[in-house]
Amino acid sequence: VQAFLASSCLLLAAMAHRALVLQRHVLHGDVLVSGGIQMQATNASEDSNWADRVKSMAAWMASDRFKHTTRPYKPEDVVKLQGTMPLHFTGAKISEKLYKLMREHQANGTCSHTFGALDPVQVVQMAKYLTSVYV
């Protein structure tokens, strides 16, 4: 039992040492360890890109759609936590389309006739006749 405990302690110490070595390599930007990604310092174009992203996020957060939304964070906080690769989600595009449709109906004093669908086949069949279908 003591031999097993001693060997497991040595194994844990070796694993902890290896984790620290890897962390040091990644933090220093070693290309061999960080998966081929070379970490570089920021430059002026990245700073201006960040400022543009903050500006567009602030405009989006201040849009009419979110005028009644209170956020405990700033646009800078959101952009800081975003990745650098732009992501486009289909659900976000569809929700923008639905929001615009509902605002048009509100402005015109009309309504959107809709029914609920239980499966994708029903959605396809209803889509010809309705402006919105909920699933």
Side-chain angles (χ1 to χ4, degrees):
V1 173
Q2 288 180 345
F4 175 74
L5 290 175
S7 65
S8 62
C9 286
L10 288 174
L11 181 64
L12 287 175
M15 288 172 53
H17 174 71
R18 181 67 181 147
L20 288 174
V21 169
L22 285 172
Q23 182 182 22
R24 231 177 290 125
H25 283 297
V26 170
L27 291 176
H28 291 293
D30 191 344
V31 179
L32 297 176
V33 178
S34 63
I37 300 172
Q38 187 170 5
M39 299 177 192
Q40 300 174 350
T42 61
N43 58 25
S45 68
E46 288 177 350
D47 292 338
S48 67
N49 182 20
W50 190 81
D52 292 340
R53 289 174 52 204
V54 169
K55 186 187 289 185
S56 70
M57 179 59 67
W60 183 76
M61 291 170 86
S63 67
D64 186 48
R65 180 177 179 182
F66 302 110
K67 68 181 175 185
H68 298 294
T69 303
T70 304
R71 292 183 172 89
Y73 47 85
K74 297 180 273 186
E76 293 86 3
D77 299 330
V78 175
V79 173
K80 182 172 49 175
L81 296 174
Q82 286 178 336
T84 55
M85 179 181 291
L87 300 174
H88 303 285
F89 298 102
T90 305
K93 296 292 182 190
I94 292 171
S95 67
E96 288 174 11
K97 183 179 176 182
L98 179 63
Y99 180 77
K100 188 184 295 185
L101 176 73
M102 294 294 119
R103 284 295 181 189
E104 287 174 7
H105 281 299
Q106 182 184 23
N108 298 334
T110 59
C111 63
S112 173
H113 299 286
T114 185
F115 290 102
L118 298 176
D119 62 43
V121 174
Q122 287 181 334
V123 172
V124 172
Q125 292 171 346
M126 292 177 174
K128 298 183 263 188
Y129 306 107
L130 302 172
T131 56
S132 60
V133 177
Y134 62 91
V135 180

